[in-house]
Each structure stands twice: as structure tokens, then as C-alpha cells.
Amino acid sequence: MSGLWGGRFSAANDPLMARFNASLPFDWRLWDADIAGSIAWAAAICRAGLLTAAERDAIVAGLAALREELAADVPGTSERAWHVTATDEDIHSYIERRLTERIGPVAGKLHTGRSRNDQIATDVRLWLKWQIAGRGLTRVDTDKKNEKRKNPRSSASIRGPLDSALAGLIRAAVDRAEAEIDVLMPGYTHVQPAQPVRWSHWLLSHAWAWQRDRERLADLLVRVDVSPLGAGALAGCPFAIDRAALAADLGFATVSQNSLDAVSDRDFVAEFLFWAALTGVHLSRWAEDLIFWSSREFGFVTLADAYSTGSSLMPQKKNPDALELLRGKSGRLVGGLTGLLVMLKGLPSSYDKDLQEDKEPLFDAVDTLALALPVAQGVLETLTIHPDRMAAALGDELLATDLADALVRAGVPFRQAHHLVGQVVRRSEETGCALRALPLADLQAIDPRFTADVAAIWDFERSVEQRAAVGGTARASVAAQIAALRRALGD
Ligand code: ARG
């Protein structure tokens, strides 16, 4: 029978039910946040006169000792120090049992005024905040009332592991964009060759999406960074708890304003999972380009052996598995978001056990991206480009727009110019003569406003340099993007 709620029960749970109900197999990851929350809570209920200083010190010392013991041996690496028993339902009951074994019945005072409903909401928020912002300024194990409390958001330099991984990937793209700015390639729409672009311009197009992912992560932190502790089971705390002080001890920026909402709200998980799904989609689209371009038919890039695999049957194969897995994992990230939203959709107010289902997709999203982002960075840093193959794919037809633009500069309305160049392209196809090789007389037969100047059009470098407006593919525009992204990276 569970140590936390067995009083009104006369029979134990069926072992199947115990297994079904248990969240410790996955919520053990919250151990550190749970202990941090309990240390802060002990300080808060002591300030409210519910614990003597000696009781508080015993609880805090016991929790700190337990934290040290568990830190040495988290289940992700080994389970030796955890001594999990069959009745440990979740991380809260587990920590409370271990604390009781360590310090005796005084541990039973820790849950005064607190419910697992506000506790779990606090743990998940704190854990997620650490993933997003790092643990930098969180102050959890002191009760120095006079110490000036720090606002964790006062330092813009706080960066968590996910942001660092994104920044690493962006930096890889920017470094390559700078080094390889001379390389031209076809730009595509509908996977059809469209206009020439700089390879760097393509690299940076993805870097901008990843930069938005960084910004989005910082934006959503505001809604993660709220302390629900003190909301109780659903109705609030009957004791004189200073919730603001409690929140500050844990490093939260602010406190929740409605206890029903506090134990019910998983918007912050949904937002984070949307962020993760979109980041996954960005990785997937990037991967898709490179998968195509690493094919023999394109041959624009070769992936390093370090990020490719072979076939067990066909000796010649070198497969872009890293990129395919990046593309594939985006599906699972989207699935995590979808699953959470569907779980939340029909829930009645406040806490329902369904909410326990928020954690596995959350942990999975963090784990997936914690590995996927550095893999993407590795792929990008180690691939080889083949500028000759890219150049060979630059056909004259990619300059058809430039030919129309030449007529526009001579005063021809663009619609008409577009139509006339369409006729030129048809003529080239019919005669099998490359666009640039068509005699001027042929062009002038289509329209006399084609002049000898059009000979200058057939230059890919010139074409990209025409696109010098902000955001274009001209060297100066690409250089400006590099500078802007470096600023955003703080380089
Ligand atoms: N394991 C639970 C969860 O993850 C903790 C909260 C349990 N609350 C309750 N009323 N049973 O949501």
C-alpha cells in the first residue's frame, strides 16, 4: 500500500495497477528538482512557523545528503544507490520515503500544506527551466532571509543546453557560409532549377530558421518560469506561506495567480513540445535538401564517413543515415506534441491523473534534440562540397529571369518581358541551341528591343550580384547576414 495515501484503503493495489500507476520509472529524472523544491518548501513552512529551525535544518540536511547520494548514481547510468522498492509510486513518494529512513518521523512534516499536485507542476517547470536557461542563478539550498534575492532573468547570459546546441549548429552554418561564399549553385523552387544562388545563402536560410528557434525558446521560457508551489492540491495553501520568497528561492521569476489553474496548467509543456516539433521540422527540411544533394545524380555534397553508414547487402552503398534519422525523428517530435494536446483536450479542471502523461513526451523531446542537434552540427561541419558539380548544374535557363529583367530595364513591362523570354526559351528548346548561343537575330525576331547588351546576361556571378537588396544572395547581402547571425550568437 502506498506510503503517501494508504490510510483510507483496506487492501493493497493489484500489482498490475501499481505498475500502471507508477511514474517513477520515468519521473526519476525530476529527483534534483524535487529535492530543490522540498528544500525551499522546508524553508517556507519554517518561515510560516510550521517547523522549528532545528526541524528545518534536519530536513534540509537530510535532503542535501540524499541529493549527494543520488547524484553519484542516477538511474540513467546505474540504479545501485537508488534502492527503489515496489511501493515507490513516483519521485515524490520515493524521495519522502528515503528522507524518512534517513532522518525519522520529522520528515513527515515536510508535506505540510503541500500536495503532489503543486509539487509535480513545480518539479516539471523547474526541470524544464534548467533545460532552457541552464541552472546558473537558481538558489535553492539557502534560507538566508536577508540575502538579496536575484531575478534569474536579469542575466541575459544564461543559456541552457538546448540553446547551446542550436547556437553550435548555427555557428557551423555561418562559418561555412563565410568560408565558401564564392560557391554558386542552382536555387530551386518545386525542386526545379530556378535561379542561381550562393551556397552560403542556402546555408544561412536554415541558420535563420534555427535562430528563430533560439528566439522562440527564450520567449516561451517566460511561461515556464512561474512557480505553482503553494497552490496545494487545488484550492491554495491554508498556511501563511510567502509564495514570492519561495519562488525566488527556487529561481522562478514569478508565481501563479490561481491555484486551480496552477495544478491544471500544462500549456508550458505544450508550448515547449511545439517548439521541439518545429525545431525538428526545421532539421528535417534541412536534412531533406542534403539527402537529395548527396545522391549521385546531384553530387553536390559528400557526407563524411563519420556520419554515414553502409548497406549489409550492397557493398557500394554509403547511406545518409544521420540525415534520414534527423528527418525521421521530426515525426516523433510532432507525435509528442499531438499526444499531449489530445490528452489535455477533454480534461476537467485542476489536476487529473492523465496529466502524468505529460512527462514522457517532454523527456523524449529533450533527449531527442539533445542528440539530434549536435549530430546535425557534426554532419554540417564534416561534409565536403563539390563546387564543380554545382557549377555544372547551372544551366542558362536559370538566367531567364535576368533576360526578362534586361528588357524591363529597357522599359518593357515585366509581364510582356516574361512572355517574350518564354518565347526565347521555347526557341532554344526547339533548336537545341543553348540560350546564350542563340543568335541576336533570333532574339530580335522575337522582339526588336533585345539588344547586343544581352550578351552580358550569361554570367551567373553577375546574376547573384544583381540581388543586392537586403536578404538577397549578393555577396554583400550574404556578408550582412553572416554579421547579423554572429551578433545574435554573441560572437
Ligand atoms: N506522478 C504524478 C504526476 O506525474 C504526481 C502527482 C500525483 N498527484 C495525485 N493526485 N495523484 O502527475
Side-chain angles (χ1 to χ4, degrees):
M1 216 169 302
S2 168
L4 296 191
W5 46 257
R8 58 102 66 226
F9 282 69
S10 52
N13 267 169
D14 187 282
L16 263 185
M17 172 55 191
R19 238 178 80 202
F20 193 52
N21 191 37
S23 53
L24 189 60
F26 49 88
D27 72 10
W28 62 265
R29 291 185 190 231
L30 301 173
W31 66 278
D32 207 1
D34 197 77
I35 290 177
S38 287
I39 289 174
W41 185 250
I45 56 176
C46 177
R47 288 195 289 261
L50 296 157
L51 287 183
T52 65
E55 288 170 331
R56 179 203 60 202
D57 291 347
I59 290 173
V60 170
L63 286 166
L66 184 58
R67 177 166 59 191
E68 251 173 57
E69 189 187 320
L70 299 183
D73 221 349
V74 293
T77 53
S78 155
E79 294 194 23
R80 275 167 309 173
W82 279 61
H83 310 296
V84 172
T85 68
T87 54
D88 292 327
E89 185 179 320
D90 54 27
I91 189 62
H92 324 299
S93 45
Y94 170 79
I95 300 272
E96 192 169 324
R97 176 180 67 75
R98 295 292 311 271
L99 182 67
T100 307
E101 285 166 6
R102 196 176 270 276
I103 66 169
V106 67
K109 291 199 167 189
L110 179 59
H111 214 52
T112 308
R114 186 174 69 167
S115 158
R116 281 185 296 163
N117 298 354
D118 58 347
Q119 200 178 351
I120 188 62
T122 305
D123 289 6
V124 176
R125 284 176 178 275
L126 197 53
W127 182 87
L128 184 54
K129 182 181 170 178
W130 289 344
Q131 307 307 311
I132 298 172
R135 298 185 58 156
L137 296 179
T138 303
R139 188 167 67 84
V140 288
D141 30 9
T142 55
D143 183 34
K144 297 174 193 149
K145 286 183 198 138
N146 298 327
E147 189 179 307
K148 198 169 175 291
R149 298 188 194 285
K150 293 170 183 164
N151 178 345
R153 272 188 283 153
S154 62
S155 167
S157 64
I158 303 175
R159 289 295 180 203
L162 292 167
D163 182 78
S164 303
L166 270 169
L169 180 57
I170 295 170
R171 198 168 283 117
V174 171
D175 286 349
R176 280 205 93 124
E178 194 160 47
E180 295 167 345
I181 197 164
D182 293 333
V183 177
L184 304 187
M185 67 181 299
Y188 297 86
T189 60
H190 313 265
V191 204
Q192 304 297 320
Q195 292 176 338
V197 293
R198 292 193 184 278
W199 151 254
S200 300
H201 200 49
W202 172 82
L203 282 168
L204 296 177
S205 70
H206 291 281
W208 284 113
W210 297 325
Q211 175 58 23
R212 288 194 295 279
D213 292 333
R214 291 185 70 209
E215 290 166 13
R216 201 171 284 112
L217 190 59
D219 292 346
L220 72 87
L221 175 63
V222 179
R223 283 169 298 284
V224 176
D225 202 3
V226 179
S227 173
L229 201 51
L234 76 163
C237 182
F239 303 111
I241 297 297
D242 181 346
R243 289 193 59 214
L246 185 56
D249 276 353
L250 286 169
F252 282 118
T254 178
V255 300
S256 59
Q257 295 298 313
N258 179 302
S259 58
L260 286 170
D261 179 44
V263 297
S264 175
D265 174 20
R266 293 295 183 277
D267 292 2
F268 67 100
V269 181
E271 262 192 269
F272 178 80
L273 290 182
F274 171 74
W275 171 84
L278 189 60
T279 302
V281 166
H282 289 155
L283 290 175
S284 179
R285 295 187 68 179
W286 170 79
E288 174 68 359
D289 279 350
L290 288 175
I291 288 167
F292 262 107
W293 295 347
S294 67
S295 70
R296 202 176 61 175
E297 287 70 13
F298 276 92
F300 291 176
V301 301
T302 302
L303 302 184
D305 285 358
Y307 290 96
S308 310
T309 58
S311 157
S312 59
L313 192 145
M314 298 164 283
Q316 86 284 9
K317 289 297 289 296
K318 180 168 154 185
N319 298 327
D321 290 37
L323 293 168
E324 289 169 314
L325 282 168
L326 288 168
R327 189 176 58 186
K329 283 182 190 296
S330 67
R332 121 197 220 152
L333 292 167
V334 172
L337 169 65
T338 310
L340 183 90
L341 289 174
V342 174
M343 181 275 282
L344 289 174
K345 181 186 92 64
L347 287 193
S349 265
S350 88
Y351 183 83
D352 304 274
K353 195 60 173 272
D354 318 46
L355 292 172
Q356 181 164 291
E357 293 290 310
D358 63 353
K359 279 168 273 308
E360 285 162 291
L362 176 63
F363 297 151
D364 187 66
V366 169
D367 289 349
T368 299
L369 286 173
L371 193 53
L373 289 165
V375 165
Q377 181 180 338
V379 169
L380 184 54
E381 284 172 345
T382 56
L383 61 79
T384 309
I385 60 168
H386 302 295
D388 51 328
R389 292 291 306 237
M390 296 180 184
L394 289 169
D396 288 356
E397 71 282 3
L398 278 92
L399 299 173
T401 319
D402 296 72
L403 187 56
D405 291 344
L407 286 179
V408 165
R409 289 198 171 92
V412 181
F414 179 75
R415 271 295 140 246
Q416 211 187 335
H418 182 284
H419 188 76
L420 293 169
V421 173
Q423 288 175 276
V424 174
V425 170
R426 180 139 51 92
R427 173 100 189 128
S428 153
E429 279 175 4
E430 281 166 5
T431 58
C433 179
L435 280 171
R436 72 178 67 203
L438 280 176
L440 183 59
D442 284 19
L443 296 186
Q444 288 178 336
I446 291 169
D447 193 284
R449 286 169 292 183
F450 284 113
T451 64
D453 298 355
V454 299
I457 298 291
W458 311 112
D459 177 347
F460 297 103
E461 181 73 24
R462 176 190 174 278
S463 170
V464 296
E465 284 307 289
Q466 299 270 308
R467 285 154 178 87
V470 173
T473 195
R475 184 180 299 271
S477 305
V478 171
Q481 295 177 54
I482 291 170
L485 282 166
R486 288 222 189 277
R487 273 197 302 281
L489 289 169
D491 290 357

